[in-house]
Amino acid sequence: MASEKLNMIEQFKNLDILKVDRRTFLKAVAALGATSFVSLYGNQLTEALAAFQETKVLWLHGAECTGCSESALNGSNPEFADALKELNVSLVYHETLLAQQGIFVDGKLAGTSDLNGEILLEELVKEGGYILVVEGSIGNGPQGSGKINMIGTHTFKSIYEKCAKQASAIIALGTCATYGGITVTNSDVKEYCDFMGVNQTETNKGGMNAVLGINKPVINLPGCPAHPDWFFLTVAAVLLGKIDLANMDGLLDGDGRLKVFYPPNNTLHDNCPRRGFYDRGVLDERFAEGGCLWKVGCKAPYVHSDCALRKWNNGTSLCMQAGGPCIACVEPVFPNGSMPYYVERESAGVLFGVNIGTVAALAIGAAVVAAGVHAVRRVNKEK
Amino acid sequence: MVKVTVDPLTRIEGHLRVSAEVDSNGVITSAQSSGMLFRGFERMLQNKDPRDAALHVARICGVCPISHSMTATNALDDLYQVAESVPQNALAVRNFIQAANIVASHATHIYILFGPDLANPRYRDVLTGSALNLGATGQAVWNELLGRFAPLSYKIDGQPVPVGSGYLNAIPEKKRLQEAIALFGGKMPHQAITVPGGVTCTPDLGDIAKSAAIYLKVMEFVQNYTLGVPLDTWIANTSQAQSPAAAVKFVTDHLAGLINKSSGNDFSRENGWKDVELFAAFGSELVGEKLLGLPASLRLDKLGGYSDAKNMCFLSYGAFYDSTKDGYNPASPTGERFLTSGVVRASNLKFEDLDTAKIMESTQCAFYEDDTPSRHPYDGTTVPVSDVNKINLDAGPTDKYSWLKAPRYDGIAAEVGPLARLIVAQDPLIIGLAQAFAGAGMSPANVYTRMLARMHETAIIAHKIVDYLNDIDPARAFAEPLDMRAAKDNKGMGIWEAPRGALGHWISADSSGKTKNYQAIVPSTWNFSPRDEKGIASPLEQALVGNAISGVDNIGGANYANPVAILHVGRSYDPCIACAVHTIDATGKNAPRDYELF
């Protein structure tokens, strides 16, 4: 058994994880276990990177909750500080971790970049050539002013503009930074705030980059929060040249996400630990019953992410495993397309803006035929 | 008069601006704090399924998401009238994930957010400079501070400084605690399990055993780095001490013992000086210099105090249910929760029962159109300013200058957080310290007591957490079914404690059972609000007045370019500004969504 696993490792060691097809990827993960798979590549990357020069990462916080930073600190293989060290990444700016802060004396910047973060940021932008990580959405309101979010006498919109123009690539981390996420929940202040993602909104391509006329390579890593592996493996792949920033067409899906983490042809439902209950028609109608969560609102059949394989917090668990229905937090339509969170999809009438009658019949039909469950009962009734 | 502004105040959650007027002696005479991001969270919940609130509001804050979901869930338990029948198992799971989140959040604050300020070059100058001439002792203390608390990518005089041992080693422990939460909650941040009526998870004995193993691992770190006394011994002699005086004596005797064996200036962890001991002895002039006879200290007890006690109180809503039985009272009566609710006025340090009817919010100095006098959160009515030019960074203390509203308790400002919680809970050690400072003519609340309370509370909760694991019985139910109709035309109040202090959510539902109004008052709104309509300043604004801008009594002269007083005082409250700025109420413009709740 052990030698079989070793052979597997030999076989998969040389895979380019970002270019393998889904099937091979799944086989590799299944053979090695998600955690060792990640760490295996971590080691491979480390060796390859030994001769690499330092890469600067400049991390900005817009309209955010710091959950994606918290999540990055939860990185396990590699751990946060190890990842920075082993990838030779210098985290040059990060508001939550920074030694510095903005200091003004009578309105003028004071001191040096040792203590003054505003001076540090000016120096970094002047040098350029960093990977820009954006956490949180970018506020355009009210009335295009960007004043909904001010940092150190500037609008965050203008800080983003300044930093993006000098970046070599941009990683939009988390659903707020990618598509607006929780900050664009429908409300009557939505238009006033006018939050948007880096390169996209919940419905349109373009995002803040279109407003500002910025044209840079952008990788979207949505999730509420984003998984630490998604982030560190992406940074590693960029540094290794596994991702060609000039041509990412084959790597990204239509929403700018890396296909390897957000597989377009599979859904989260396929690998759900409670999938067996669905197939047997054990559909819970109350919480804490241990069965399939479809009827209490689970959106996993419509969600493209590898959460169920990768799991969260060092492979500990994931929402459905703990009885929480998936709320589709990696999808561009989150959260407007997935609220109400606890209502069975077809009874909500609209699914991600698409008529349930067609989508549910397509997506669920096959499984339901096999399982003989009543999930589509209402769909049929509506027809 | 010089105006010193810190913006952004980093190493906090969110975006905070603090500006201070400083006189020619380098002493702060007036201060303003401004939250500079608005997201409109409560407005998002209107006309939605009330149950969505618990997962949605977790996204207010990624550092303390559990507290927000818990508070929302309490409000929903109340709204759906199931609070009295929430199963004991659910209460125990909720307690456990909350306790683990508070410990992780406090550790993050102590080591990653606040700690790096102890490695500020100001202390190199004070401890090793000529002004005090402390010789080898000063150098040894500075070496410890720098070696333990230097943050990532740190430089002094342009020279890179290696990352501190405490800083570096705290990150994996915080991560480990998140794993323990994920065993029950599915993932962290933003767990998936808190629902009205209980929790969605059904942990088995394996999950419980795994979390116990994680707990023991974290405790190894605590004993190696943080606290030089076994946890049981610490708790028995501090929070379970016979009297406040006995608790203080236990700590000062312990520190005196360490000093006695450190004549060679060995302040290393190996010599017993764990991080709590180092901070407790060298952080305070009263404790370190006057009581223990140390040659110098950081004098953090002279920063962040209140000079106008009549306009200040300490407030706690109470946290941690009695998880030995089913059900709880959402009004959190005195004594029901492990850390009780209550109010203590700074003027007399006397305990009062909490009365939530005395909570009002003012928008006078906030970027909202509505200038009417203060309102109770059930009746909040405010709209963000329509004129963009009113969002003005140079606005003075009587103008609009923040996105935070100004909550007040019985017309005065309230500090919330670990210090307030332990004063309200009458913890012997914290009360003993408060009395000692008051007796010395100093403010009982200051940067030193605020940080020490956070460390002490970490120990208290880490000690208690085992009980919550024991209260989980996998054979029994974890959730009580809801009658969705119970929400019709009803209201719900959720009051709870986040790591940073009192957190309250108020929800009301319409005749169709959907959310009509949702209001949240969060800890950082209490601590960092702007002035109210009577001109009463917030805790942070009050706490900066009278401070030496460079700390340590401005020894060696004031340096406006390194305003350590603002950095320490601001961060001592553990600001969470994304939490604090969210408030906007109903105008009813959203069309209800097309679905049936029941």
Side-chain angles (χ1 to χ4, degrees), chain A residues 63 133-138 171-181 183 196-200 220:
Chain A
V133 176
V134 181
E135 178 177 357
S137 64
I138 306 162
I171 295 176
L173 188 65
T175 310
C176 293
T178 46
Y179 314 121
T183 64
M196 47 183 82
V198 165
N199 219 17
Q200 198 164 333
N220 283 341

Side-chain angles (χ1 to χ4, degrees), chain A residues 66 100-101 106 188 192, chain B residues 3 10 13 43 385 571 587:
Chain A
T66 315
Q100 296 87 343
Q101 46 276 311
D106 284 333
D188 63 2
Y192 179 88
Chain B
K3 186 173 185 181
T10 52
E13 198 295 324
R43 193 67 197 84
V385 290
R571 289 181 183 128
T587 51

Side-chain angles (χ1 to χ4, degrees), chain A residues 281-311:
Chain A
V282 181
L283 307 183
D284 290 354
E285 302 201 27
R286 298 180 357 191
F287 293 117
E289 304 267 290
C292 170
L293 302 165
W294 169 254
K295 289 185 79 67
V296 287
C298 188
K299 315 298 185 292
Y302 308 101
V303 172
H304 301 280
S305 88
D306 66 0
C307 292
L309 290 170
R310 190 171 298 285
K311 295 201 179 177

Side-chain angles (χ1 to χ4, degrees), chain A residues 15-35:
Chain A
L15 283 181
D16 184 339
I17 53 165
L18 293 159
K19 288 184 180 151
V20 297
D21 64 63
R22 181 73 190 155
R23 197 178 163 75
T24 314
F25 178 76
L26 288 182
K27 269 170 69 186
V29 173
L32 303 175
T35 308

